[in-house]
Amino acid sequence: MATARGYHHGDLKAALIRGALAAVETGGPDAVSLRDLAQSLGVSTAAPYRHFPDRRALLAEVAAIGFNDLTAAYARAQAEAADPVAAMRETARAYLTLAFGRPGLFKLMFASDIVDGEAPASLLGPAQAAWEGLFRAVAAAEPGAEPAAIKRRAITGWSTLHGFITLVQGGRLKGFMTEPLTEADLLEAILDKTLREA
Amino acid sequence: MATARGYHHGDLKAALIRGALAAVETGGPDAVSLRDLAQSLGVSTAAPYRHFPDRRALLAEVAAIGFNDLTAAYARAQAEAADPVAAMRETARAYLTLAFGRPGLFKLMFASDIVDGEAPASLLGPAQAAWEGLFRAVAAAEPGAEPAAIKRRAITGWSTLHGFITLVQGGRLKGFMTEPLTEADLLEAILDKTLREA
DNA sequence: CCAGAATGTTGACACAGCTAACATGGGCGC
DNA sequence: GCGCCCATGTTAGCTGTGTCAACATTCTGG
């Protein structure tokens, strides 16, 4: 699909994003090398720069895909749930599914380097949409609460989930998860605690 | 302090660690370049390799300093607090102080790259000690609870704090902290929520 | 006092991101 | 239908990085 064509590749930009996404999912953000990518697409090492100002811009595009997928997963979870509380739980689970199912992509999405200085709008939009999906779930589960309270609640819950994921994926809980305390148990406990409360 | 001596530097290893620490605190882990470091110490680019097998080993040493400092801060907080609940609160605050006061170092301490594969014992020891300081605070505030419950509680609280810090420092809460909801407010709310409960 | 271990140096390799200058060819205006 | 322009690729090369092998120097213990 990436071979046997002349001077022009045809759709190099999309191919680069696809390739970068694959590399990110396999080995995380650091596994993306523009040179490797170019070579594997049968194109010169300078070609990618016709489509992205620099490496970070390409990675930002990949991260945006991650946020879009996350938003879609949120929407699915909320549509299928029986009631608002279940919807909130499934929304949280969607976050966990992405984090543990596609850790490389997840790491990229929250790699501060990508966003340092200022992030491009093509990333901020999807990131904002994902956040709103999460906010919506919390708001629905807590009818009548004032916006500030909902926001506080959403951010706190998000923090707990995100922190746990980060610590686990960073290997920081390695020595501490002694039987009979497994990561899965803890996750359930965290979900329960995060979701239950006035 | 790093000039005007002959073939042998004197204490290059310590000087490298000091220099790396300074660089990390200024610009985060990525700001550490062995070549820069060597040059600024008036030594050849290969010299660091007489003391560290690779760059990661040097950074691991710096991270270990961070964990040691954290453990010391925990101990201080717990010694000065009036009661166990206050001690726990001050312990959490010590974590926040390090995270927001020395963000570069904090980022290094939790950069999974440093620990990928397997971390050296010189890092695992201090990291473990810090964890135990945190665990001790939770256990003291909750006398008579079984160890698994304490552990669950400690990890959950740690996750919330850590997640919030990570999201803030990653710039992920930029657009969402609208007045009158400030980061400081949220932090207090998180501390309250994390600490209060049976 | 001297041998060998520690510690530094020189010079180089591989690889990465990035850029300038040049080449090609597809599509748009005429 | 034709030619020109610009989007897209290419070549060659710069800088900066981690790392290593081979050699040089100094410190130290027997």
Side-chain angles (χ1 to χ4, degrees), chain A residues 163-181:
Chain A
F164 184 73
I165 294 163
T166 302
L167 290 173
V168 168
Q169 293 190 345
R172 271 356 187 268
L173 265 43
K174 278 281 172 55
F176 313 130
M177 305 299 303
T178 51
E179 296 295 346
L181 198 64

Side-chain angles (χ1 to χ4, degrees), chain A residues 119-137:
Chain A
S122 59
L123 174 56
L124 288 185
Q128 168 95 17
W131 157 251
E132 275 164 11
L134 204 155
F135 183 79
R136 206 181 334 274

Side-chain angles (χ1 to χ4, degrees), chain A residues 30 107 109-110 112-113 115 128 131 151-152 155 159-160 163-164 170 172 176 178 181 186 189 193 197, chain B residues 30 107 109 112-113 115 128 131 151-152 155 159-160 162-164 170 172 176 178 181 186 189 193 197:
Chain A
D30 295 344
K107 186 173 182 184
M109 289 164 65
F110 292 98
S112 54
D113 321 53
V115 102
Q128 168 95 17
W131 157 251
K151 210 175 247 188
R152 187 160 39 228
I155 292 181
S159 292
T160 307
F164 184 73
R172 271 356 187 268
F176 313 130
T178 51
L181 198 64
L186 251 179
K193 164 162 311 175
E197 98 198 1
Chain B
D30 296 346
K107 186 173 181 183
M109 290 164 65
S112 54
D113 321 52
V115 101
Q128 170 93 20
W131 158 251
K151 210 174 247 188
R152 187 159 39 229
I155 292 180
S159 293
T160 308
H162 190 78
F164 184 72
R172 274 349 187 273
F176 313 131
T178 50
L181 198 62
L186 251 179
K193 166 161 309 173
E197 98 198 3

Side-chain angles (χ1 to χ4, degrees), chain A residues 1-58:
Chain A
M1 190 194 244
T3 49
R5 63 178 55 70
Y7 201 87
H8 286 89
H9 176 280
D11 199 3
L12 183 55
K13 181 167 188 175
L16 283 168
I17 293 177
R18 269 199 310 274
L21 175 59
V24 164
E25 302 227 31
T26 303
D30 295 344
V32 174
S33 148
L34 290 197
R35 297 179 95 103
D36 279 2
L37 227 47
Q39 186 170 13
S40 81
L41 292 173
V43 110
S44 79
T45 63
Y49 291 90
R50 290 291 153 199
H51 300 279
F52 303 96
D54 55 24
R55 190 186 115 104
R56 275 179 46 186
L58 169 56

Side-chain angles (χ1 to χ4, degrees), chain B residues 9-22:
Chain B
H9 175 281
D11 199 3
L12 183 55
K13 181 167 188 175
L16 283 168
I17 294 176
R18 269 199 310 273
L21 175 59

Side-chain angles (χ1 to χ4, degrees), chain B:
Chain B
M1 191 193 252
T3 47
R5 64 179 56 69
Y7 202 85
H8 286 91
H9 175 281
D11 199 3
L12 183 55
K13 181 167 188 175
L16 283 168
I17 294 176
R18 269 199 310 273
L21 175 59
V24 163
E25 301 226 33
T26 303
D30 296 346
V32 174
S33 149
L34 291 197
R35 298 179 93 102
D36 280 0
L37 228 44
Q39 185 169 16
S40 80
L41 292 173
V43 111
S44 79
T45 63
Y49 290 89
R50 293 289 152 200
H51 300 278
F52 302 96
D54 54 25
R55 189 186 116 103
R56 276 180 46 188
L58 170 57
L59 289 183
E61 215 81 3
V62 174
I65 293 179
F67 281 110
N68 285 334
D69 286 359
L70 185 58
T71 302
Y74 283 169
R76 222 175 309 126
Q78 290 165 24
E80 290 171 359
D83 61 286
V85 171
M88 188 166 147
R89 187 175 195 110
E90 291 313 307
T91 299
R93 229 182 261 289
Y95 195 76
L96 293 166
T97 299
L98 185 129
F100 289 113
R102 308 167 77 185
L105 181 59
F106 184 81
K107 186 173 181 183
L108 170 66
M109 290 164 65
F110 293 97
S112 54
D113 321 52
I114 295 310
V115 101
D116 271 355
E118 58 204 283
S122 58
L123 174 56
L124 288 185
Q128 170 93 20
W131 158 251
E132 275 162 13
L134 203 155
F135 183 77
R136 206 181 332 273
V138 177
E142 208 130 352
E146 36 185 337
I150 293 175
K151 210 174 247 188
R152 187 159 39 229
R153 177 105 194 270
I155 292 180
T156 304
W158 186 16
S159 293
T160 308
L161 245 46
H162 190 78
F164 184 72
I165 294 163
T166 302
L167 290 173
V168 168
Q169 293 190 343
R172 274 349 187 273
L173 264 42
K174 278 281 173 53
F176 313 131
M177 306 298 305
T178 50
E179 296 295 344
L181 198 62
T182 75
E183 284 174 9
D185 284 350
L186 251 179
L187 260 180
E188 292 308 314
I190 286 177
L191 277 180
D192 282 339
K193 166 161 309 173
T194 302
L195 303 180
R196 164 205 8 118
E197 98 198 3

